[in-house]
Amino acid sequence: MADVPVVQILEKKSYFKQAIVPLPNALPLPSLGESSLRIRTELLCITANNATYCKVGDVYHWWDVHPIPPSAPAEYSDPTIYGRTNCWGYAKVIDSTFGSVPKGSYVWGYLPLGTLPLDLQVKQGNVPDQVIVTDDYRQKQIAIYNRYLVFPASLGKEIEAKASGVAYDSLIRVMHLTAYLIQNFMFPSDPTQSVTLKPEEADLADATVINFAPASKVGLSLAYLLRHQRQTSKPRRVVGAASEHSIAFARATQLYDEVAPTSTDPLALLSSLGVPQDGKVVLFDFGGRAGVGYKWFVAIKQKFPRAQLVFVGMEVTDPAAAAPGSAPPKRPEGDGIAGVHAGILQDLAMGKVGEVEYFRGLNESWEGLRKDGFSGFTVTWGQGMADVGRGWDKFAKNEARADEGLVFTI
């Protein structure tokens, strides 16, 4: 007899409130349609990214990617109140009617939290070992969420062994993708080739780079790329501006030339570093707390006219602490301020160099980071949906350490 599927269901407006729900009525599964894969999540992670998909889920239709299944109990069946969030990781292909991806293969991509199998209608991608989702309900998503990487059945041995590589794939691969796009296509070594910025804006040569939430996975990824993979037009220094929660780990990674607490006077810091007032300062905000990145930018811009602020992520807070009916704060706009949307940047990058060349460079870069890892970073493994629930609660209570990645096999 097949195991009863189990899924996580969240309250949309208070998404740290969860239920781990068995779905006995989901069985037996229906027959699989043509050109389709039936996949089951097998390896996933819990990071701030999962909660971001909840925080702005209505804006970007992320609640619609993995809807409440028809087999959900009545008390969780109202999609206006309840929803399912998403994760990055590996799923096993448990059935297939798509010839190039046989049963037993694995896919890496955007997955639901739970053991309920997911049916995806797919087509072959333009890059080997990639498939693209073609289901109508998924087309409101930008392309990055509908692209899945295909791996052989032998990957299952790495998952079973809890290898560090597959843990990094789940925790950091998509974060590295964002950092790779920033370094190579937004701020490329040849600033005239930027896909989003004017050459004078895209030039990092001799700049002082300041990362907010520097211990975040995308912040670490960018710091790693700037230190280890950028060959020309390098910044003079990369500084981490960290909260007390993460400052020790940010320093332990040895990816930053300086790590300062966010309580530091930013002008005093730049003075101590010897940054001239005509020098360039680029602030990357990966989700710094309480809007600290923008506050620093306002202070710095008054004395350093070439200062720029780039929003990459957002702070994840407990929605229960927000005022009733309040919307997520809007990002400031104005001179010297830019934003990053990885999906849009990826489309622009592929348009510039072609899909095959883009993914060749991306994968080569990723293999370098995956091999080296982050100094001081540890992976905490869990098993089963009960552990996933405990991991979500741990993250919600801010009990997960800055140097810790939460990964689960289910």
Side-chain angles (χ1 to χ4, degrees):
M1 183 175 178
D3 292 336
V4 173
V6 179
V7 298
Q8 181 203 56
I9 295 179
L10 307 174
E11 290 188 23
K12 287 184 174 181
K13 301 302 181 186
S14 188
Y15 45 78
F16 284 154
K17 295 180 180 179
Q18 64 165 334
I20 304 299
V21 182
L23 303 175
N25 293 332
L27 302 175
L29 298 172
S31 59
L32 186 61
E34 294 183 359
S35 298
S36 295
L37 306 177
R38 176 165 289 161
I39 64 175
R40 178 188 179 279
T41 303
E42 196 161 294
L43 178 79
L44 63 90
C45 65
I46 290 178
T47 70
N49 219 22
N50 307 80
T52 299
Y53 294 134
C54 302
K55 185 170 183 174
V56 288
D58 291 326
V59 177
Y60 293 105
H61 307 289
W62 284 325
W63 289 117
D64 301 331
V65 179
H66 301 116
I68 297 291
S71 56
E75 62 264 38
Y76 299 113
S77 63
D78 186 345
T80 66
I81 299 174
Y82 298 102
R84 301 172 67 198
T85 192
N86 314 287
C87 63
W88 294 87
Y90 285 108
K92 188 172 186 177
V93 179
I94 62 174
D95 198 3
S96 174
T97 59
F98 188 70
S100 65
V101 184
K103 179 180 177 180
S105 304
Y106 283 84
V107 295
W108 175 91
Y110 200 52
L111 303 173
L113 275 74
T115 62
L116 178 68
L118 171 67
D119 292 356
L120 297 174
Q121 188 176 68
V122 298
K123 67 178 182 180
Q124 191 66 50
N126 294 328
V127 180
D129 298 322
Q130 294 187 8
V131 294
I132 309 297
V133 175
T134 60
D135 293 278
D136 288 342
Y137 80 97
R138 291 284 292 261
Q139 300 316 302
K140 66 179 67 175
Q141 302 299 316
I142 60 175
I144 193 172
Y145 299 106
N146 286 330
R147 185 184 298 267
Y148 289 78
L149 311 185
V150 181
F151 295 85
S154 58
L155 182 84
K157 295 180 180 179
E158 294 184 53
I159 295 175
E160 184 178 355
K162 297 181 178 178
S164 62
V166 292
Y168 265 67
D169 291 339
S170 181
L171 284 161
I172 298 167
R173 186 168 192 152
V174 76
M175 309 299 185
H176 162 268
L177 179 151
T178 301
Y180 178 83
L181 287 164
I182 292 170
Q183 171 171 257
N184 291 280
F185 293 95
M186 189 175 188
F187 291 89
S189 294
D190 180 354
T192 66
Q193 298 303 306
S194 175
V195 296
T196 59
L197 300 176
K198 298 175 183 178
E200 61 271 21
E201 296 171 329
D203 190 2
L204 286 184
D206 210 34
T208 295
V209 169
I210 302 177
N211 284 358
F212 294 88
S216 66
K217 295 166 185 63
V218 65
L220 291 174
S221 296
L222 182 61
Y224 173 90
L225 296 181
L226 291 172
R227 178 172 290 274
H228 295 294
Q229 293 188 6
R230 193 176 184 93
Q231 301 303 317
T232 60
S233 300
K234 300 183 74 166
R236 176 171 291 271
R237 60 182 66 84
V238 181
V239 178
S243 69
E244 292 301 322
H245 176 71
S246 63
I247 193 167
F249 172 52
R251 287 172 174 157
T253 65
Q254 301 179 34
L255 293 174
Y256 294 98
D257 299 293
E258 177 81 20
V259 178
T262 52
S263 58
T264 302
D265 180 328
L267 297 180
L269 174 64
L270 294 179
S271 176
S272 71
L273 295 172
V275 180
Q277 290 195 356
D278 62 350
K280 188 168 188 178
V281 181
V282 182
L283 298 86
F284 289 96
D285 190 345
F286 297 103
R289 301 186 179 202
V292 65
Y294 181 66
K295 294 173 184 176
W296 274 44
F297 172 71
V298 171
I300 292 171
K301 187 73 171 176
Q302 294 175 0
K303 299 291 185 180
F304 296 82
R306 296 179 65 205
Q308 295 172 221
L309 173 63
V310 182
F311 284 108
V312 185
M314 62 178 63
E315 181 186 12
V316 176
T317 55
D318 185 349
S326 62
K330 292 184 178 180
R331 288 175 172 173
E333 299 178 351
D335 181 46
I337 299 177
V340 170
H341 192 301
I344 295 172
L345 261 181
Q346 178 165 272
D347 289 345
L348 292 171
M350 290 189 298
K352 188 171 185 65
V353 301
E355 283 189 55
V356 173
E357 177 59 23
Y358 165 73
F359 278 101
R360 184 205 63 76
L362 174 67
N363 292 338
E364 181 180 302
S365 173
W366 169 241
E367 289 303 322
L369 190 157
R370 188 182 194 255
K371 178 183 177 181
D372 292 343
F374 295 138
S375 179
F377 184 70
T378 61
V379 175
T380 299
W381 288 86
Q383 185 168 353
M385 284 302 294
D387 274 0
V388 170
R390 284 187 280 270
W392 187 262
D393 287 340
K394 183 177 183 178
F395 179 81
K397 296 173 183 176
N398 202 28
E399 294 174 352
R401 303 189 317 272
D403 63 352
E404 176 183 39
L406 304 179
V407 180
F408 305 88
T409 55
I410 60 174

